[in-house]
Amino acid sequence: MKSIFVTTLLIAAFSSGAIKAQENKGQPIKPAKVNVWITRPDQSALLQKQAAPLTFGKLNNSYPTITVNENQKYQQIDGFGFTLTGGSAVLINKVPLQARKHLLNELFSTKGNGIGISYLRISIGASDLNSEVFTYDDMPAGQTDVKLSKFSLAKDADVISLLKEILKINPNIKILGSPWTAPSWMKTNESSKGGSLKPEYYQVYAQYLTKYIQLMKAEHINIDAITPQNEPLNPKNNPSMVMEAAQQTEFIKNNLGPAFKAAGVKTKIITYDHNADRPDYPIDILKDPEARKYVDGSAFHLYGGKIEALTTVHNAYPDKNIYFTEQWVGAPGDFASNLNWHINHLIIGATRNWSRNVLEWNLAADSTYSPHTPGGCTECLGAITVENNITRNVAYYIIGHASKFVPQGSVRIASNISGDFVNVAFKTPQGKKVLIVINNGKNSGSFNISYKGKAAAYKLSAGAVGSFVW
């Protein structure tokens, strides 16, 4: 009798729950309140949490409405961040220990006022924002080292030590490596600037990149992905190297891809890493079936072309990923115009065009926009300026509006553009919804956020950016 009684209770309880589930089915579930963080172009608010959260209720039909639909999903997000240049690392390493710990927690943690940077790009060898040009295997003029016996990461000591500190805060941060040049002895012009990789050194260079990944791993630093060449159509930086699409195709399919496979290297190969005005470059590589099997996706900058070119490449090869890997802020910069352009084109534009990440350029510079190589960028404004005090510049807030709220593993979800309120929406692995909105109108304006049949209204000043989280 006891077992029958217990069974009856269980059936009754299940039936009651089933009835309640049926009652709730199809009815709107009231979402939690919406927390809001705002940045205004006049800097009166800088990624500032608003005191009063929004409450979902009835729709105000007189306002434009942004409808967020989590059932329509797009690409997964790998993260938001910056390039940790060699110069950035040198400057941050000079900050006194306790102040540096505080700064790194602010940059790489989401706790408290942290902005939670989740993706970093680093240079393989020097970029033009190092104090000197170097690779890991430089040789005197006329000499070569085809066995890479002189290979050394010693000149990247500042980057390596700082990455180890960062990894203690965020062990899951993704790291992308990009070379600005091969060693000069491998190049057609035997110079750090311009020139191309000699075909006879393709295999040696593939081993060079493989060795880099292996030695970084020995330092407990995992390189998630590399691009074979930063800005392969730009010979003007120092360092730089030209690598046409046909050359990169050859290098990937016959050298780099097989070298990684033979060494058991799981690091992704991402092609191109240059401006959106040449979508034909990555498409030409992906056309080649032998190259394509080694390629994870394509990376873009936006110093030329339109952000919609990312979708052109995605549509041509939807099984391959899209990344956005660099955009600078020119010094001294105009906060309002830079905030508007970068939020519209990158945080919103790149992600709405399938990018899994958004990276601004250099993390840190000093007040003279140094260090840089002779012939390197002399007007690159860091996300932070490192002097006696730390100054947070516009790129800090541009990235912070996404990185603080949209962690790795989030997914972009559907949201419509309504009037002047350009936006993008995400769902986090924890189930939170994040809507990033900029008011492109000339005046303050109100809009609705509509979600599951309920709506919350907000008034956003002209040019302001809001991150809405529920």
Side-chain angles (χ1 to χ4, degrees), residues 167-184:
L167 285 164
K168 289 177 183 177
I169 299 167
N170 182 359
N172 298 315
I173 195 165
K174 288 189 181 292
I175 301 170
L176 167 70
S178 299
W180 265 239
T181 185
S184 295

Side-chain angles (χ1 to χ4, degrees), residues 4 16 18 20 36 50 57 62 66 71 136 168 203 266 269 368 372 391 465 467:
I4 295 171
S16 173
K20 287 181 180 178
V36 184
Q50 304 304 287
S62 65
I66 299 168
N71 295 321
Y136 304 126
K168 289 177 183 177
Q203 190 57 37
K266 303 299 183 185
I269 298 171
T368 66
H372 55 78
T391 304
V465 182
S467 290

Side-chain angles (χ1 to χ4, degrees), residues 221-236:
I221 297 167
N222 179 58
I223 305 300
D224 180 70
I226 70 159
T227 60
Q229 176 60 41
N230 168 68
E231 297 192 344
L233 302 177
N234 175 13
K236 297 178 181 178

